[in-house]
Structure formats: structure tokens, C-alpha cells
Amino acid sequence: MAITEEKTVEEKNLSFVEQLVEQDLAEGKNAGRIQTRFPPEPNGYLHIGHAKAICMDFGVAEKYNGVCNLRFDDTNPTKENNEYVENILNDISWLGFKWGNIYYASDYFEKLWDFAVWMIQNGHAYIDEQTAEQIAEQKGTPTTPGVASPYRDRPVEESLKLFNKMNTPEAVEGSMVLRAKLDMANPNMHFRDPIIYRIIHTPHHRTGTKWHAYPMYDFAHGQSDFFEGVTHSICTLEFVPHRPLYDKFIDYLKEMRGETENLHDFRPRQIEFNRLNLTYTVLSKRKLLQLVKEGLVDGWDDPRMPTISGLRRRGFTPESIKAFINRIGYTKFEAVNDISLLEFSIREDLNKRATRVCAVIDPVKVVITNYPDDQVEQMEMENNPEDPTSGTHTMPFSREIYIERDDFMENPPKKFFRMTPDKEVRLKGAYIVKCTGCKKDADGRIEEIYCEYDPESKSGMPGSMRKVKGTLHWVSARHCIDAEVRLYDRLFAVENASEVKDRDFHELLNPDSIKVVEHAKIEPFLAENAEPGAHFQFQRIGYFTPDKKDSTKEHLVFNRTITLKDSWQKINK
């Protein structure tokens, strides 16, 4: 009974994709072999939506002792380049996954060409010289059949001749296409004589100018899966109506290879899951490219971008992204996920790993008038209370310190438990101090605050046990170091930014998505340990990481990964 119960619990934890994979294994399909693939088009940087697909494609192969290959869908040279290829490789590795082999759709251009020729020879394809607008108009609607092209019954020899002409420098882009000859009355619009080859003269990032005619995605994708021996072609829900066409082309391919007796034996099984949609986020590559080209962000890896490299630069961890994807799961129903769940996942992860340090973003000087001017103490500061093995570090304490400007109020409201005249607060890891007054400039702005400290109240001493309501972070004015701090927030101010159609794209941007503080004050330990990829919690402020592009020993730059609490929920309540 116990074994049955355990199995039931385990089955409940399986995604529906994993259940289908296990069903195939139980039925002995593909001789127990599992092979998946992740097939990105190298026309931009990967984003958080791709991370969901990566976790599924690589995760299934990993879980069932299979292999996941990486295949670049490089069939449109006008949008693709090697920069995107290299970045995709880096992103997948950073997420912690390993591919079995690297393939390119361009590896199969010869095979796909031969397959297209076979289709023409066998009456399954023809050259159409109509305009794109004419072809689209003749497609019909889901409830009305399409109209056959006047070129549909073109002689085979003529189509073959023109197909060869398509692959020459003299062919004019848009002058002709190769269409599969299927069914213009099929309720599935993808079956209505889809275009399978078009003319493109842009040099290819791998094959140069060898080709001038390129296969369409639907013609290259399934065949590439078949050539590679993919067992499970896992993709997002928009490919559900493409699945019959995917299978039809594989039927033709098997027929071409003389496998008509076993037409329905081995073929990749296409399984679709819901794509990732996020509030306050746009995941359209076209719109992300627009942001980059218009200089609205600092490149594809801008820390406000939803790209994997942007999230990495901002300080997100692979573990937090995987935890988020695990939380939202995989279903067959489209949904929009709350970005606060992604933010919760990174807060949860950084709370466990980030080193606690002191930094003052908007400093105001505090002079402790009864503290010896020439005295410096080293205060013991805990690195991470969530990790007993993390140890401690020391932070210098002196007569003059900096605190946050908004931690002081001369005439505070009732529940203000920070620094105010005649009230005591604790300086974290140090002493209890009482404010005795302040100095203002001609405009009434606070220039300096004056305090007295209680020598018996040092943290760890018997006198430190007495309680005060407020605890403030601070840095020593004599020892602190200047740093640039970039306070990042959500790039879009509109919750359903990806769905808005009636407003200019630029109007949706959050004008406060970045605020730059040029002279924040940080403790020496933070400066000494500001290595790329390090994670810090600026006490009472948020989680930060050194900027991997701009931060140097001479000019430290820190990016805010996330605030300590979700301020957006408070604002929108």
C-alpha cells in the first residue's frame, strides 16, 4: 500500500508532458529512447519565456536519461547572426544545462532542397508567381474554402526549372515562391497550399551566398526533427494547428525514403504546452529589438529587459528562474503569470545566499559628539543570518558616520521609529545613540545631525540588552567608499503591457524604471568583495550585484536586483 501511495504522489508531481513521455516509455515506443531538442532562431537574445522551454526540453531529457540537442533554426538570414548564436550558447550554459550536440537547420539545406525537388516531381508542390497579397487573399477564411492559385496545375518540368531559378542571384525577391500542393478547402488554414520556399539574397551567417532560396519554418522544422531522430518535439500551444502539417511533411519524407509500409512508425511526437506570459512585461522579440534599436534600453542585456542575459546582469540566479518556472508549471491553457511570483523567487533565493552589508544611498552625516575623535572600532557584522556557516566580517566605526537621509525626521509622525530629536535608536551592530540636534543650510535642508552614544550599549555587551524601537544601518564617513548605484524597477508601467493595442508602445514604459545614484556610500568590505556575480543585501534597502559590464575597482557600480519587499503591491492596492 505504501508503494502505491508513493507512486500516486509522484505521478501528481509530473507535468502532463512528463506523463505523456512516461506513457511512451511504458508502451516501448522508440525502443525506450528519449531525445528532445531546443530549437531557437538566432534572431535575438533569449528571454524568460525561452527559459521555460529550455527547462522542459533539457529537463525531460535529463530526467529520463535521454539527450537534448541544441538546434539553431537559421532559415531566415535577414534576421540572424553569430552574436545571437553565441549569446544563446552562453544563456543555456548559465542556466545549468548541457546539450548533446549542436545542429543548425542550415545543416540540412541540401536534404531539404532534394526533398522539395521530390515533392515537385511527385505533384506535391508547384511554383507560384503571384504576389504575397494575392496568395493571402486566396487563402479564404476558417469557414470559407480558399481559391486555387492559377499556377496550381503548372507542369512539373516548368516548376522544377523555376525552382532552380529561385536559387540564383538573378531571381527577384518576392517574384515567386514554392508552395506545397495540399488542400485549399481544408478547415486548417495551414493546409491551404502553404509556402515552403522563398527567395532571400541576404548572405547567411554560416553558408554565405551559397543559397538564394530558403525553406520556411514549417518545411524545415519537422524534417530536421526527423533527420536527427527526435522522439519528442516539445513546443508551445501556438503550434497545435501546425501539428497536422508537421506530420504530413514527415509522411511525404518517409514516402520519399521508401518507408510507406511503416509510414506511421517512428516519427517525433509533438507535444504543446502553454507559453510564458508575464504582467508588466513584453516578450515579443520584435518589440524587444525595437527597444534596443531606439536606444530606450542599454542593449539586449539591459537589467530591465526580460532577456536571460538581462536578468543575469541584474543579479537573478539560475536557481531563482528555475524555481519560478517550477511554480507556474506547464499546462494546455494560456495564462498570464504575475511578475511578483518571479520577484518572490529571486528574493527567496537571495535571502539564503546574499551577504549582508551596509550601504547608504542618500547619505546625511551624523556626528557622535561624545565619541573620541581619534578612535576607530571594528564592529562584528553577520554575513548572513540564514546561513550559519557564512561567518562574519568587520566594519569600521568612527565619530562621524552616514545614515539614510529619510531615516531622520525633525518633526516626525507618531509611528516614526527612526532617528528624531531626543529619541534613541540603535546603529546596527554598534551602539545606541540619542539625537541632540541638527544643522541646516540656508534652504532648510539638513546638513548634519548630532548625537550622543551610550558606551555601555555596544552590540554583544551586557548593556546592549536594553531595547529601542529603531535600528538603522550606517557607514563610517572616514572609511566608506563612493559607488554608483542603479535602482532598477519594472520596465513597463502597465500590467497588461503585452496586450495593449490601442496605445503607442512608448506610452507603456515606466519613466522610473531606472534611477542612478552617483555617490552612494558603501562599507570597505563591500568594495573589497565586489566581484562579478556576487550577491549582496544592502541592509534595509534591497539586493544588489556588481554590474558585469561597467563596474571596475576604480569605479564601482551596483545594480539593484530587487527590493526587499514588493512595493508595487502596496502602490496598486
Side-chain angles (χ1 to χ4, degrees), residues 464-489:
S464 70
M465 299 305 290
R466 67 187 183 88
K467 302 294 183 182
V468 290
K469 287 188 175 179
T471 299
L472 309 183
H473 65 280
W474 54 274
V475 294
S476 167
R478 191 188 309 177
H479 303 91
C480 67
I481 295 166
D482 276 8
E484 180 180 323
V485 173
R486 298 170 181 174
L487 304 174
Y488 289 107
D489 208 337

mmCIF file of all heavy atoms in Angstrom, residues 464-489:
data_model
loop_
_atom_site.group_PDB
_atom_site.id
_atom_site.type_symbol
_atom_site.label_atom_id
_atom_site.label_comp_id
_atom_site.label_asym_id
_atom_site.label_seq_id
_atom_site.Cartn_x
_atom_site.Cartn_y
_atom_site.Cartn_z
ATOM 1 N N SER A 464 23.898 46.098 26.096
ATOM 2 C CA SER A 464 23.237 46.146 24.793
ATOM 3 C C SER A 464 21.868 45.491 24.823
ATOM 4 O O SER A 464 21.121 45.563 23.862
ATOM 5 C CB SER A 464 24.103 45.450 23.737
ATOM 6 O OG SER A 464 24.134 44.051 23.972
ATOM 7 N N MET A 465 21.515 44.868 25.947
ATOM 8 C CA MET A 465 20.261 44.134 26.029
ATOM 9 C C MET A 465 19.052 45.062 26.136
ATOM 10 O O MET A 465 17.924 44.638 25.903
ATOM 11 C CB MET A 465 20.281 43.173 27.223
ATOM 12 C CG MET A 465 21.380 42.109 27.143
ATOM 13 S SD MET A 465 21.294 41.149 25.609
ATOM 14 C CE MET A 465 19.787 40.217 25.934
ATOM 15 N N ARG A 466 19.261 46.316 26.514
ATOM 16 C CA ARG A 466 18.092 47.184 26.617
ATOM 17 C C ARG A 466 17.547 47.478 25.214
ATOM 18 O O ARG A 466 18.278 47.561 24.231
ATOM 19 C CB ARG A 466 18.408 48.459 27.380
ATOM 20 C CG ARG A 466 19.361 49.436 26.754
ATOM 21 C CD ARG A 466 19.678 50.545 27.761
ATOM 22 N NE ARG A 466 20.536 51.573 27.206
ATOM 23 C CZ ARG A 466 20.086 52.632 26.560
ATOM 24 N NH1 ARG A 466 18.776 52.780 26.359
ATOM 25 N NH2 ARG A 466 20.934 53.554 26.100
ATOM 26 N N LYS A 467 16.243 47.589 25.126
ATOM 27 C CA LYS A 467 15.568 47.644 23.835
ATOM 28 C C LYS A 467 15.260 49.082 23.415
ATOM 29 O O LYS A 467 14.881 49.922 24.228
ATOM 30 C CB LYS A 467 14.252 46.858 23.897
ATOM 31 C CG LYS A 467 14.421 45.386 24.293
ATOM 32 C CD LYS A 467 15.174 44.620 23.219
ATOM 33 C CE LYS A 467 15.266 43.129 23.582
ATOM 34 N NZ LYS A 467 16.040 42.378 22.587
ATOM 35 N N VAL A 468 15.439 49.324 22.112
ATOM 36 C CA VAL A 468 14.944 50.551 21.494
ATOM 37 C C VAL A 468 14.173 50.119 20.246
ATOM 38 O O VAL A 468 14.396 49.029 19.707
ATOM 39 C CB VAL A 468 16.098 51.501 21.108
ATOM 40 C CG1 VAL A 468 16.753 52.083 22.337
ATOM 41 C CG2 VAL A 468 17.126 50.808 20.231
ATOM 42 N N LYS A 469 13.278 50.963 19.791
ATOM 43 C CA LYS A 469 12.367 50.530 18.728
ATOM 44 C C LYS A 469 12.980 50.569 17.329
ATOM 45 O O LYS A 469 12.542 49.837 16.443
ATOM 46 C CB LYS A 469 11.099 51.387 18.768
ATOM 47 C CG LYS A 469 10.204 51.042 19.948
ATOM 48 C CD LYS A 469 8.874 51.767 19.862
ATOM 49 C CE LYS A 469 7.953 51.315 21.000
ATOM 50 N NZ LYS A 469 6.645 52.018 20.949
ATOM 51 N N GLY A 470 13.958 51.410 17.100
ATOM 52 C CA GLY A 470 14.509 51.543 15.758
ATOM 53 C C GLY A 470 15.941 51.066 15.643
ATOM 54 O O GLY A 470 16.740 51.243 16.566
ATOM 55 N N THR A 471 16.291 50.458 14.505
ATOM 56 C CA THR A 471 17.668 50.070 14.196
ATOM 57 C C THR A 471 18.000 50.595 12.807
ATOM 58 O O THR A 471 17.272 50.335 11.847
ATOM 59 C CB THR A 471 17.849 48.546 14.234
ATOM 60 O OG1 THR A 471 17.540 48.058 15.539
ATOM 61 C CG2 THR A 471 19.279 48.160 13.884
ATOM 62 N N LEU A 472 19.093 51.332 12.693
ATOM 63 C CA LEU A 472 19.488 51.942 11.435
ATOM 64 C C LEU A 472 20.800 51.364 10.921
ATOM 65 O O LEU A 472 21.687 51.023 11.695
ATOM 66 C CB LEU A 472 19.650 53.463 11.603
ATOM 67 C CG LEU A 472 18.492 54.239 12.261
ATOM 68 C CD1 LEU A 472 18.820 55.724 12.274
ATOM 69 C CD2 LEU A 472 17.187 53.984 11.529
ATOM 70 N N HIS A 473 20.923 51.277 9.590
ATOM 71 C CA HIS A 473 22.217 50.907 9.009
ATOM 72 C C HIS A 473 23.023 52.193 8.799
ATOM 73 O O HIS A 473 22.481 53.296 8.755
ATOM 74 C CB HIS A 473 22.031 50.146 7.702
ATOM 75 C CG HIS A 473 21.411 50.946 6.594
ATOM 76 N ND1 HIS A 473 20.058 51.180 6.497
ATOM 77 C CD2 HIS A 473 21.970 51.593 5.525
ATOM 78 C CE1 HIS A 473 19.801 51.908 5.429
ATOM 79 N NE2 HIS A 473 20.942 52.180 4.817
ATOM 80 N N TRP A 474 24.321 52.060 8.652
ATOM 81 C CA TRP A 474 25.216 53.203 8.634
ATOM 82 C C TRP A 474 26.543 52.803 8.005
ATOM 83 O O TRP A 474 26.829 51.610 7.828
ATOM 84 C CB TRP A 474 25.474 53.696 10.066
ATOM 85 C CG TRP A 474 25.973 52.557 10.953
ATOM 86 C CD1 TRP A 474 25.206 51.666 11.637
ATOM 87 C CD2 TRP A 474 27.332 52.164 11.151
ATOM 88 N NE1 TRP A 474 25.999 50.724 12.269
ATOM 89 C CE2 TRP A 474 27.311 51.017 11.998
ATOM 90 C CE3 TRP A 474 28.567 52.654 10.735
ATOM 91 C CZ2 TRP A 474 28.468 50.350 12.395
ATOM 92 C CZ3 TRP A 474 29.736 51.999 11.136
ATOM 93 C CH2 TRP A 474 29.661 50.860 11.968
ATOM 94 N N VAL A 475 27.378 53.774 7.693
ATOM 95 C CA VAL A 475 28.768 53.522 7.303
ATOM 96 C C VAL A 475 29.624 54.614 7.924
ATOM 97 O O VAL A 475 29.155 55.730 8.170
ATOM 98 C CB VAL A 475 28.972 53.502 5.772
ATOM 99 C CG1 VAL A 475 28.258 52.322 5.135
ATOM 100 C CG2 VAL A 475 28.528 54.817 5.135
ATOM 101 N N SER A 476 30.871 54.298 8.175
ATOM 102 C CA SER A 476 31.808 55.272 8.728
ATOM 103 C C SER A 476 32.175 56.297 7.659
ATOM 104 O O SER A 476 32.602 55.937 6.554
ATOM 105 C CB SER A 476 33.070 54.559 9.222
ATOM 106 O OG SER A 476 34.100 55.489 9.491
ATOM 107 N N ALA A 477 32.019 57.583 7.966
ATOM 108 C CA ALA A 477 32.320 58.640 6.994
ATOM 109 C C ALA A 477 33.790 58.642 6.608
ATOM 110 O O ALA A 477 34.147 58.972 5.471
ATOM 111 C CB ALA A 477 31.917 59.997 7.573
ATOM 112 N N ARG A 478 34.649 58.289 7.547
ATOM 113 C CA ARG A 478 36.088 58.308 7.296
ATOM 114 C C ARG A 478 36.541 57.133 6.435
ATOM 115 O O ARG A 478 37.534 57.229 5.712
ATOM 116 C CB ARG A 478 36.844 58.284 8.632
ATOM 117 C CG ARG A 478 38.341 58.570 8.483
ATOM 118 C CD ARG A 478 39.098 58.339 9.791
ATOM 119 N NE ARG A 478 38.477 59.042 10.920
ATOM 120 C CZ ARG A 478 38.917 58.942 12.169
ATOM 121 N NH1 ARG A 478 39.972 58.163 12.455
ATOM 122 N NH2 ARG A 478 38.319 59.598 13.150
ATOM 123 N N HIS A 479 35.807 56.017 6.476
ATOM 124 C CA HIS A 479 36.284 54.795 5.827
ATOM 125 C C HIS A 479 35.452 54.351 4.622
ATOM 126 O O HIS A 479 35.872 53.469 3.867
ATOM 127 C CB HIS A 479 36.310 53.649 6.839
ATOM 128 C CG HIS A 479 37.152 53.932 8.038
ATOM 129 N ND1 HIS A 479 36.644 54.516 9.179
ATOM 130 C CD2 HIS A 479 38.487 53.733 8.274
ATOM 131 C CE1 HIS A 479 37.615 54.656 10.078
ATOM 132 N NE2 HIS A 479 38.747 54.195 9.554
ATOM 133 N N CYS A 480 34.288 54.931 4.449
ATOM 134 C CA CYS A 480 33.409 54.459 3.380
ATOM 135 C C CYS A 480 33.961 54.835 2.007
ATOM 136 O O CYS A 480 34.848 55.676 1.880
ATOM 137 C CB CYS A 480 31.995 55.008 3.558
ATOM 138 S SG CYS A 480 31.875 56.800 3.333
ATOM 139 N N ILE A 481 33.416 54.210 1.000
ATOM 140 C CA ILE A 481 33.866 54.403 -0.379
ATOM 141 C C ILE A 481 32.659 54.781 -1.236
ATOM 142 O O ILE A 481 31.558 54.266 -1.048
ATOM 143 C CB ILE A 481 34.522 53.100 -0.901
ATOM 144 C CG1 ILE A 481 35.797 52.815 -0.095
ATOM 145 C CG2 ILE A 481 34.818 53.178 -2.388
ATOM 146 C CD1 ILE A 481 36.337 51.438 -0.268
ATOM 147 N N ASP A 482 32.879 55.668 -2.194
ATOM 148 C CA ASP A 482 31.800 56.068 -3.096
ATOM 149 C C ASP A 482 31.535 54.978 -4.132
ATOM 150 O O ASP A 482 32.469 54.301 -4.596
ATOM 151 C CB ASP A 482 32.166 57.359 -3.824
ATOM 152 C CG ASP A 482 31.854 58.593 -2.989
ATOM 153 O OD1 ASP A 482 31.497 58.429 -1.803
ATOM 154 O OD2 ASP A 482 31.972 59.710 -3.518
ATOM 155 N N ALA A 483 30.288 54.831 -4.502
ATOM 156 C CA ALA A 483 29.906 53.873 -5.534
ATOM 157 C C ALA A 483 28.677 54.383 -6.269
ATOM 158 O O ALA A 483 27.868 55.133 -5.723
ATOM 159 C CB ALA A 483 29.610 52.503 -4.929
ATOM 160 N N GLU A 484 28.564 53.984 -7.536
ATOM 161 C CA GLU A 484 27.355 54.280 -8.301
ATOM 162 C C GLU A 484 26.359 53.155 -8.070
ATOM 163 O O GLU A 484 26.718 51.975 -8.135
ATOM 164 C CB GLU A 484 27.680 54.393 -9.794
ATOM 165 C CG GLU A 484 26.471 54.689 -10.663
ATOM 166 C CD GLU A 484 26.830 54.787 -12.139
ATOM 167 O OE1 GLU A 484 27.918 55.317 -12.458
ATOM 168 O OE2 GLU A 484 26.021 54.327 -12.971
ATOM 169 N N VAL A 485 25.126 53.524 -7.800
ATOM 170 C CA VAL A 485 24.075 52.536 -7.555
ATOM 171 C C VAL A 485 22.934 52.791 -8.529
ATOM 172 O O VAL A 485 22.450 53.914 -8.650
ATOM 173 C CB VAL A 485 23.568 52.617 -6.098
ATOM 174 C CG1 VAL A 485 22.358 51.718 -5.899
ATOM 175 C CG2 VAL A 485 24.683 52.209 -5.130
ATOM 176 N N ARG A 486 22.533 51.735 -9.232
ATOM 177 C CA ARG A 486 21.444 51.839 -10.206
ATOM 178 C C ARG A 486 20.211 51.134 -9.651
ATOM 179 O O ARG A 486 20.234 49.912 -9.442
ATOM 180 C CB ARG A 486 21.870 51.230 -11.541
ATOM 181 C CG ARG A 486 23.056 51.962 -12.153
ATOM 182 C CD ARG A 486 23.639 51.234 -13.345
ATOM 183 N NE ARG A 486 24.793 51.955 -13.903
ATOM 184 C CZ ARG A 486 25.558 51.489 -14.879
ATOM 185 N NH1 ARG A 486 25.312 50.290 -15.414
ATOM 186 N NH2 ARG A 486 26.574 52.201 -15.323
ATOM 187 N N LEU A 487 19.184 51.906 -9.420
ATOM 188 C CA LEU A 487 17.952 51.378 -8.832
ATOM 189 C C LEU A 487 16.989 51.029 -9.960
ATOM 190 O O LEU A 487 16.319 51.898 -10.527
ATOM 191 C CB LEU A 487 17.340 52.404 -7.886
ATOM 192 C CG LEU A 487 18.265 52.888 -6.760
ATOM 193 C CD1 LEU A 487 17.603 54.000 -5.970
ATOM 194 C CD2 LEU A 487 18.649 51.726 -5.837
ATOM 195 N N TYR A 488 16.944 49.738 -10.307
ATOM 196 C CA TYR A 488 16.099 49.279 -11.407
ATOM 197 C C TYR A 488 14.717 48.894 -10.918
ATOM 198 O O TYR A 488 14.545 48.399 -9.799
ATOM 199 C CB TYR A 488 16.739 48.077 -12.100
ATOM 200 C CG TYR A 488 17.972 48.427 -12.900
ATOM 201 C CD1 TYR A 488 19.245 48.083 -12.457
ATOM 202 C CD2 TYR A 488 17.852 49.107 -14.112
ATOM 203 C CE1 TYR A 488 20.375 48.408 -13.192
ATOM 204 C CE2 TYR A 488 18.984 49.437 -14.851
ATOM 205 C CZ TYR A 488 20.236 49.080 -14.390
ATOM 206 O OH TYR A 488 21.344 49.410 -15.122
ATOM 207 N N ASP A 489 13.752 49.124 -11.780
ATOM 208 C CA ASP A 489 12.375 48.734 -11.494
ATOM 209 C C ASP A 489 11.787 48.141 -12.773
ATOM 210 O O ASP A 489 12.480 47.998 -13.780
ATOM 211 C CB ASP A 489 11.572 49.942 -11.010
ATOM 212 C CG ASP A 489 10.422 49.562 -10.086
ATOM 213 O OD1 ASP A 489 9.977 48.398 -10.166
ATOM 214 O OD2 ASP A 489 9.978 50.403 -9.312
#
